Amino acid sequence: MRYLDAEAIENIAVGAAFLGTGGGGDPYIGKMMALSAIENNGPVQLLSPEEVEDDDFFIPAAMMGAPSVMIEKFPNGNEFVRVFEKLGRYLGKETIRGTFPMEAGGVNSMIPIVVAAQMGIPLIDCDSMGRAFPELQMATFNLHGMSATPMAITDEKGNIGIMETIDNKWTERLARVQTVEMGASAMVSIYPATGRQLKDYGIHNIITLSEEIGKVIRGTYENEQEKMTALLEVTNGFQLFQGKIIDVKREIKGGFNFGRVKISGLNDNLGDEAVIHFQNENLVAEKNGVPIAMTPDLICMVDLETLAPVTTEALKYGKRVQVMGLIADSDWRTEIGIETVGPKYFGYDLEYVPIETLVAKEDK
Amino acid sequence: MRYLDAEAIENIAVGAAFLGTGGGGDPYIGKMMALSAIENNGPVQLLSPEEVEDDDFFIPAAMMGAPSVMIEKFPNGNEFVRVFEKLGRYLGKETIRGTFPMEAGGVNSMIPIVVAAQMGIPLIDCDSMGRAFPELQMATFNLHGMSATPMAITDEKGNIGIMETIDNKWTERLARVQTVEMGASAMVSIYPATGRQLKDYGIHNIITLSEEIGKVIRGTYENEQEKMTALLEVTNGFQLFQGKIIDVKREIKGGFNFGRVKISGLNDNLGDEAVIHFQNENLVAEKNGVPIAMTPDLICMVDLETLAPVTTEALKYGKRVQVMGLIADSDWRTEIGIETVGPKYFGYDLEYVPIETLVAKEDK
């Protein structure tokens, strides 16, 4: 158990945006909201999943929809107080012991901090993705047979819905059409979980990992190379490509940000071209037409000089970036994991190949 | 208080399809379900709104969506047992004293009978439209400031949602996108009401009126003219146009049946042409390009010989029809009524003119 102060929040916001693999929203507004929430309500208690009671009951707080819209409709936390109360009553659970993030991301790592501060409940150090993914069934909870419902959905206007669906794909379908109707972004509380379920099926330590990554990115080092070395060490990651953005295609469709970015190589990659395809999150990275990383492994873009994470909505012509790759949580690399979030699910005609295999092939 | 037997159901099905003004679905399947429900559970008790306690609590049962799809997904009643239980619990009302139809129509007048039979609760003799309308906010309850929510929505697969919205237009928007996603048709329980609200804001006697209309249409008369005279008398209606259908345009869009039908005149209307525009329900009738009836007044089509109601999904080339007009309930003719369901709301560039004025002009 420890408390998150302003410095911790600054680090988490940046590190979570890195793990958000382009999605999960810009960290700036979320961070400001979280800082203001702890200024008003005091620091937030962070518990590891091991520290909670098995029978206690937890509800996550997240936004779904297009990140580019999300950041314009950031919740002030009150919305979730109402949602938690309604959902808790519907579930017959009077006491909600804490909240947690559904995914790592600039917005979705900050919202649970705001809610925890406002409600005076602890934040649990786990999520259900270990990164960010665009759809609700893309959760380790789902892989382990947990139901996403009863869930609650609400908007900034005050509309609220509670749903029970026959499976988690239907949760996604029905929540998605409401999200689009609500203006391409909505607040959701899905996969209400017991302490036991957080222990068994959550991805532990995600907030602490985000914080460590943020510390490196915000830290001062002798030179860029040293900083990159520290970042590779803390993330166990790979450097995939360096270059300058020469083209961005983007559209909001069905409550998602779809698009792809073209990067012209610099330094070691001079003469090469990379293309990264995204649906909210970066999903497939190609170099000269050949895949070099693919979902569920993490494709993270950072500023070439500062290593600050670059989200998909911040992509623009001329920006110099470093593409990095991280190994996905082992849950995502199982057969059902690949079926749920592998390249084929997203419509790419690719067999999943682990990033370490692709990198080893590159190096030959 | 009285009981509805098989004969009553046969009559109600036909009369309600007449009052459904082309929408509300085909009466045949609904009737079969209602007959089977009372065969299995005994006759259904019909109470007038005057006979219920002010503080008692009632939930309606209805389908929303495209009538052409609705009739393929007719509920067996069990869906509503589950919905009533969930919605009742959400509302904190343990006892649901009865059910009632939201509108008159071939499907939506029968569903509450099925539910009442299955649950062993009374049916209340009122609705909230006095006809059928395509959208959820088109209810006299809405005109009187009642909230459509908390409402429940469910599908034949077992997905269920409960919603609370900031106004009744948002109920319609969010229920509509879910209806479309559920396959263009869904079951809803909206405007949960007290006995007092049924008394004050419901349109009384709608089931009895449907039954009387059905009796005439199913009855035996000396000749067609006598039957028509009886129908005009019981409905207080007008004969607007006689002819043969020469063209039907129809599409399912956004969970509605949209279209228009062209009718070439017969008998007194020889040489004339009528066009009727519909969105689930018939909304505007024109004769030789001039409006002869418009929403909220009722535009009912019947078979020229048998006077059997013709729903919009049963329109077909060559069918000989009689177009009739009925005066809408006075609630619909208020300023807010016209704003809610007048021709302008549906996108027609027409000032509302009462049907009796239009008919008087015609007769000059």
Side-chain angles (χ1 to χ4, degrees), chain A residues 59 82-92 148-154 159-165 171 174-175 178 182 187 189-190 192, chain B residues 86-87 89-90 150-154 159-165 174 178 182:
Chain A
I59 307 185
R82 186 162 165 253
V83 164
F84 276 35
E85 185 260 321
K86 297 257 180 203
L87 188 55
R89 194 154 54 86
Y90 188 86
L91 287 155
T149 67
M151 72 159 285
I153 184 166
T154 187
N159 294 306
I160 182 167
I162 286 176
M163 288 200 295
E164 281 187 73
T165 58
T171 319
L174 293 171
Q178 292 179 77
M182 285 168 169
M187 289 157 267
S189 281
I190 47 174
Chain B
K86 297 256 180 203
L87 188 55
R89 194 153 55 86
Y90 188 86
M151 72 159 285
I153 184 167
T154 187
N159 294 307
I160 183 168
I162 286 176
M163 288 201 296
E164 281 187 73
T165 57
L174 293 171
Q178 291 179 78
M182 285 168 168

Side-chain angles (χ1 to χ4, degrees), chain B residues 31-252:
Chain B
K31 186 189 76 178
M32 296 311 285
M33 293 294 302
L35 289 175
S36 138
I38 67 159
E39 199 177 299
N40 294 332
N41 305 280
V44 162
Q45 197 182 47
L46 183 73
L47 297 180
S48 102
E50 302 307 335
E51 292 175 291
V52 305
E53 296 294 326
D54 282 4
D55 294 336
D56 278 353
F57 186 71
F58 302 87
I59 307 184
M63 289 192 90
M64 76 179 279
S68 59
V69 177
M70 225 181 255
I71 54 176
E72 292 172 20
K73 299 183 20 167
F74 198 90
N76 63 30
N78 288 331
E79 302 90 338
F80 281 103
V81 177
R82 186 163 166 251
V83 164
F84 276 37
E85 184 260 321
K86 297 256 180 203
L87 188 55
R89 194 153 55 86
Y90 188 86
L91 288 154
K93 310 277 183 185
E94 288 307 316
T95 313
I96 295 152
R97 286 288 181 192
T99 189
F100 60 97
M102 273 305 297
E103 64 177 6
V107 166
N108 275 340
S109 293
M110 292 294 110
I111 284 175
I113 298 177
V114 174
V115 173
Q118 286 217 346
M119 296 187 66
I121 54 176
L123 181 70
I124 319 305
D125 194 357
C126 65
D127 75 354
S128 189
M129 300 191 188
R131 46 165 295 169
F133 274 124
E135 299 181 8
L136 298 183
Q137 77 282 8
M138 298 173 172
T140 54
F141 292 156
N142 177 46
L143 302 187
H144 291 283
M146 274 175 67
S147 173
T149 67
M151 72 159 285
I153 184 167
T154 187
D155 64 16
E156 78 288 356
K157 293 173 280 293
N159 294 307
I160 183 168
I162 286 176
M163 288 201 296
E164 281 187 73
T165 57
I166 49 170
D167 61 37
N168 297 341
K169 271 286 194 73
W170 271 104
T171 319
E172 163 63 25
R173 289 179 64 167
L174 293 171
R176 185 69 52 184
V177 292
Q178 291 179 78
T179 297
V180 171
E181 191 67 19
M182 285 168 168
S185 161
M187 290 157 266
V188 292
S189 282
I190 46 173
Y191 298 99
T194 63
R196 188 72 247 163
Q197 289 172 319
L198 293 185
K199 286 174 206 190
D200 291 347
Y201 310 137
I203 295 183
H204 292 209
N205 220 32
I206 188 77
I207 294 168
T208 300
L209 175 63
S210 300
E211 189 179 3
E212 283 167 9
I213 293 171
K215 250 185 220 164
V216 171
I217 294 175
R218 295 179 66 239
T220 316
Y221 290 81
E222 282 291 306
N223 54 49
E224 281 164 28
Q225 193 44 56
E226 251 188 43
K227 194 174 188 173
M228 177 52 84
T229 306
L231 185 56
L232 290 172
E233 201 173 308
V234 72
T235 59
N236 203 15
F238 304 95
Q239 281 181 283
L240 298 179
F241 197 87
Q242 301 189 340
K244 197 182 85 168
I245 294 176
I246 53 166
D247 191 35
V248 184
K249 244 196 200 158
R250 208 174 355 214
E251 62 173 325
I252 299 181

Side-chain angles (χ1 to χ4, degrees), chain A residues 45-354:
Chain A
Q45 198 182 46
L46 183 73
L47 297 180
S48 102
E50 302 307 335
E51 292 175 292
V52 305
E53 295 294 325
D54 282 4
D55 295 336
D56 278 352
F57 185 71
F58 302 87
I59 307 185
M63 290 193 90
M64 74 180 279
S68 59
V69 178
M70 225 181 254
I71 54 176
E72 291 172 19
K73 299 179 27 164
F74 199 91
N76 63 30
N78 288 330
E79 302 90 337
F80 281 102
V81 177
R82 186 162 165 253
V83 164
F84 276 35
E85 185 260 321
K86 297 257 180 203
L87 188 55
R89 194 154 54 86
Y90 188 86
L91 287 155
K93 309 277 182 183
E94 289 307 316
T95 313
I96 294 152
R97 285 290 180 192
T99 188
F100 60 98
M102 273 305 296
E103 64 177 7
V107 166
N108 275 340
S109 292
M110 291 294 110
I111 285 175
I113 297 176
V114 175
V115 173
Q118 286 217 347
M119 297 187 68
I121 54 176
L123 180 70
I124 318 306
D125 194 358
C126 66
D127 77 353
S128 190
M129 300 191 188
R131 45 165 296 169
F133 275 124
E135 300 181 7
L136 298 183
Q137 78 282 5
M138 298 172 174
T140 53
F141 292 158
N142 178 48
L143 302 187
H144 291 284
M146 274 176 68
S147 174
T149 67
M151 72 159 285
I153 184 166
T154 187
D155 64 15
E156 77 289 356
K157 294 172 280 293
N159 294 306
I160 182 167
I162 286 176
M163 288 200 295
E164 281 187 73
T165 58
I166 50 170
D167 61 37
N168 297 341
K169 271 286 193 75
W170 271 104
T171 319
E172 163 63 25
R173 288 179 64 168
L174 293 171
R176 185 68 52 182
V177 292
Q178 292 179 77
T179 298
V180 172
E181 191 67 18
M182 285 168 169
S185 160
M187 289 157 267
V188 293
S189 281
I190 47 174
Y191 298 98
T194 63
R196 188 72 245 163
Q197 289 172 319
L198 293 186
K199 287 174 205 189
D200 291 347
Y201 310 138
I203 294 183
H204 292 209
N205 219 32
I206 188 77
I207 294 169
T208 299
L209 175 62
S210 300
E211 189 179 3
E212 283 167 10
I213 293 171
K215 249 186 222 164
V216 171
I217 294 174
R218 295 179 65 240
T220 315
Y221 290 80
E222 283 289 307
N223 53 50
E224 282 164 27
Q225 193 43 53
E226 248 187 48
K227 195 174 190 174
M228 177 51 85
T229 305
L231 185 56
L232 291 171
E233 200 173 310
V234 71
T235 59
N236 203 13
F238 304 95
Q239 282 181 283
L240 298 179
F241 198 86
Q242 301 189 341
K244 196 182 84 168
I245 295 177
I246 53 166
D247 191 34
V248 184
K249 246 197 199 155
R250 208 171 0 212
E251 62 174 325
I252 298 182
K253 204 172 60 184
F256 296 108
N257 288 116
F258 281 93
R260 61 120 186 82
V261 55
K262 279 190 189 169
I263 306 165
S264 175
L266 289 174
N267 309 333
D268 288 355
N269 294 117
L270 208 62
D272 296 327
E273 189 179 271
V275 177
I276 294 169
H277 303 267
F278 57 86
Q279 175 182 342
N280 291 5
E281 283 73 37
N282 301 320
L283 296 175
V284 171
E286 296 168 329
K287 180 175 150 191
N288 303 327
V290 178
I292 51 172
M294 61 184 81
T295 173
D297 291 324
L298 289 73
I299 301 166
C300 310
M301 235 182 291
V302 294
D303 183 281
L304 191 57
E305 279 78 37
T306 66
L307 307 195
V310 178
T311 56
T312 51
E313 73 269 18
L315 296 169
K316 55 174 172 247
Y317 180 85
K319 195 167 182 66
R320 291 149 57 92
V321 294
Q322 163 81 54
V323 183
M324 296 178 64
L326 270 59
I327 294 172
D329 186 271
S330 56
D331 262 358
W332 292 126
R333 290 176 157 212
T334 58
E335 197 179 325
I336 184 179
I338 297 300
E339 206 174 280
T340 308
V341 295
K344 287 222 164 75
Y345 179 85
F346 290 102
Y348 302 100
D349 190 18
L350 291 172
E351 288 298 333
Y352 170 68
V353 183

